[in-house]
Amino acid sequence: GTANVTATHLWDGETEEYNIPYVRRLLPGQRAVVVNLVYRTQGFYVSPGNPKDIRDWKDLMDENITFVNREKGSGTRVLLDEQLRNLNLDSRLMKGYRNEEMSHIAVASAVARGIADVGLGTEKAALQVPGVEFVPLKKERYDLVFYKDDLEKSNFQ
């Protein structure tokens, strides 16, 4: 009840679906409208040439690889945590899991500066930050969600 509309890109590891399971859990019994805005690709930011050959989620457990994370609650962090949960991988074994940044650009920049070997984020940020390459992992659905009753209001039209 504190917002009229929200943007969301939350991946549910149990259903392997974006957003709808969260809408159902967070708005039980409510009629909501979900409008797809865009699909984008999530993946790893790595150093040019990918010298540590980081290709999938299990590679993040290598003790010689340092990760930089997104903040708790972000869609990218949810994707990571759900992937780790589904693969029975313990985040406590990831070097750098607790190192958090607040944006895709900040994560990609940390990799470009050599602070971390890998980070997770959108392809667009990889194109904006020199000194990183992108390893695609997952097509992500990015939606708007609002109450169906608001659909008739002029500002929603």
Side-chain angles (χ1 to χ4, degrees):
T2 59
N4 297 99
V5 63
T6 189
T8 183
H9 57 108
L10 297 173
W11 187 71
D12 180 70
E14 290 179 24
T15 63
E16 297 192 19
E17 185 178 0
Y18 271 95
N19 304 327
I20 303 299
Y22 288 93
V23 170
R24 288 186 177 132
R25 281 194 297 265
L26 295 172
L27 301 172
Q30 303 294 316
R31 293 196 171 159
V33 175
V34 178
V35 178
N36 178 245
L37 289 178
V38 68
Y39 285 92
R40 60 189 190 174
T41 304
Q42 286 268 12
F44 292 141
Y45 305 126
V46 296
S47 298
N50 196 0
K52 296 203 175 180
D53 197 32
I54 302 165
R55 301 276 173 213
D56 65 31
W57 308 103
K58 292 178 183 177
D59 293 335
L60 301 177
M61 297 296 126
D62 186 320
E63 65 186 22
N64 297 313
I65 292 175
T66 302
F67 185 74
V68 59
N69 212 345
R70 282 296 307 276
E71 77 280 6
K72 292 176 185 171
S74 71
T76 299
R77 177 69 168 264
V78 170
L79 172 62
L80 171 69
D81 289 342
E82 286 287 276
Q83 291 288 353
L84 296 177
R85 184 179 63 82
N86 280 349
L87 293 168
N88 293 316
L89 299 174
D90 188 345
S91 64
R92 294 174 296 182
L93 301 177
M94 283 177 64
K95 184 177 174 185
Y97 178 84
R98 294 179 191 257
N99 299 338
E100 297 179 355
E101 294 290 348
M102 296 297 289
S103 71
H104 297 291
I105 295 287
V107 170
S109 295
V111 173
R113 292 189 324 267
I115 294 169
D117 299 306
V118 60
L120 180 63
T122 63
E123 185 174 23
K124 182 178 179 183
L127 298 172
Q128 295 174 306
V129 175
V132 296
E133 288 184 6
F134 187 72
V135 177
L137 293 169
K138 186 139 191 78
K139 185 177 175 181
E140 173 185 67
R141 181 181 167 136
Y142 199 97
D143 295 331
L144 287 180
V145 180
F146 54 91
Y147 290 112
K148 187 173 182 180
D149 291 345
D150 288 338
L151 186 59
E152 303 304 320
K153 295 178 181 176
S154 61
N155 55 334
F156 282 85
Q157 293 296 312

